[in-house]
Amino acid sequence: MRLGFYRRLAWTGIRQNKKMYLPYILACIGVVMVCYIVSFLGLSPVLKEMPGGGSAQSFLNTGFGVMCVFSTIFLFYTNSFLIRRRKKEFGLYNILGMGKRHLALVLLWETVIIAAITLVVGLFCGVLFSKVAELALTRILNGGVTYTMTVELNSVVSTVVLFLVIFGLMFLNTLRQIHLTSPIALLRSENAGEKPPKANWIFALLGLVVLAGAYYWAITVKDPITAMIGFFIAVAMVVVGTYLLFVAGSVTLCRLLQKNKRYYYKTNHFVSVSSMVYRMKRNGAGLASICILCTMVLVMISSTSCLYIGIEDSIRNRYPRNINLDGMVDTVDTLTDERLDQVRALAEETVERYDATMSNVVDYRVAGFVGIQREDHLVLENTFQNSYNVEDMANTWQVFVAPLEDYNKLMGKHEELVKGETLVYTTKEMSYSHDTLTLGDGLTLSVAKQVDSFADNGVDSMQIVPSIYLFVPDFSSVMDRLGEMSEGSEQFISPHWFYGFDLNCDDETQKSIAQDLQQELRDMEISAGDEEFFHVLLEAAAQERADTYGLYGGLFFLGILLGVVFILAAVLIIYYKQICEGYEDQARFDIMQKVGMTKVEIRKSINSQVLTVFFLPLLMAGAHLAFAFPLIRKLLLLLGLTNVWLFAGVTVVCFVAFALFYVLIYRLTSRSYFRIVSGMREE
């Protein structure tokens, strides 16, 4: 019977505080639904059997881990708003004779009720919309559509276990707060922290310096390797700088506004600024959280959308021709004209059988190895096997030595060099600034000229390090010298022959040509027996397109899904902040109305507060995105995206769309705030 009493008391508390609990329960349902959908898609047999589906599922499995961490942080954060509002009620129960053990039973029933509603409705919606999500992802991956409805039991179990743990931890955290707080303190909890904080110039300046340092590094980073290595450090600096600026800097801003008599001594500004300064330290943390969420949404959606929109450009970068052959040998001497002509003839015969025509043919020899640049030296060290430091990694090149005659033939040039000279070409927006270049311990080449283009072979788009091409007139003698220097070391000189061409036929025909040619090449290698090693690797863009769509499509889908979740999280935080601040400001505005302040003037004061502070997260997120643009662009180069104007356009569109949505949310939430502080009843 007593348990029934506590259950009714818990349900009554939820109903009477429905303005606070309803958004929280809806948010919990949404998070449960998304977690199930992400887990379901990661295990879906339909996607697993689809071309490119495996790549997409690898990202979705990572996304489930992200959702686990985010769900824990987000639900703890939003639950803190609820407990803050209920502490006065719990203090009253305690004074009226209800012990903290009994309060624990009430809280337990509240947790059980909310968890039950959340899991039942969330899983129902997750199962209901999981098929819609599967069809959407199938569409993104250009796969076939199936209408079989399934429920993934493993996803149900993992989702239930995750949220039972989260709700259990929140219950224990609430008990800790109630247990450590006296009844009088609980009653006065809503007035806690009313002492106006002082402007902390040291922390405000520190936040400015940290953020400026992150901005400076982001816009001055020169190469994608450095960008990749320092990305998470820069993110940490931005997060720390943002929190310091909003927590300490916002208080300082209010103090400065108070010193500006022309601004401060106006009815709407006076009330809003004097009200905000009392709780700015606490508000600053919330505003910083909103800013970080907004930045995450903008970066995620803009980058993943750009990758998906530019997927054909990325495929072309990775596979420069419809058919790409990579002949790998032990020594350069193995690349004889007779052997290469045999492969060319096989390719031409196979293409002719399908009434197709070759075009845009690329045909050249190179020798590749890894080198670390130190001034005008390229040290022949295999950094991918040996231990290395960050500086060496940032100065690592994928080096290709190629014959000058192949460069001239391929590019239609007539460059002439003497022995000991070289033409230099670099990728990934890198450059070589010295007049000479020494390979290893003694092969010095004079840089006659730096050229700005060369035929892509697809290797550079796969590498995280940039490539440097050295075109020399005496290719054989240079290779002999490199071979001597590499003897007895772990450095491996890898000769290659790149041969590729485009075809004037559809993808299915290209796949058939690639399969037949691959078989012909295998037969050729078998007939050669155990002679000198010569293996030809064939890659066809049509065959690899599905995996590329799986890779970028999975990123795009996960980016959109997580972006929507983060947007809803920001909306809920904004709503709770407006509601909590409305209740805290209600008494002040009640006094103002009694002394003659009208509701029109209250609305102006509210608008002043919104414009002064609550739009700062959006502006700061825009600044973060603008300064991060060069850094993100270099990271996208590692994924094969080179179209900077596409990325710029997508980023601007995403920010404008998000800003309009942000304005709409604030207009809606500010109405709730106005209704509370003005004493108006909601319709």
Side-chain angles (χ1 to χ4, degrees), residues 83 222 262 330 429 512 550 596 641:
I83 300 305
K222 293 182 179 179
R262 287 188 176 181
D330 288 330
E429 301 183 352
S512 299
L641 184 71

Side-chain angles (χ1 to χ4, degrees), residues 503-516:
L503 295 169
N504 62 339
C505 52
D506 57 31
D507 280 3
E508 292 303 318
T509 305
Q510 291 178 26
K511 290 179 183 178
S512 299
I513 292 174
Q515 291 171 358
D516 287 359

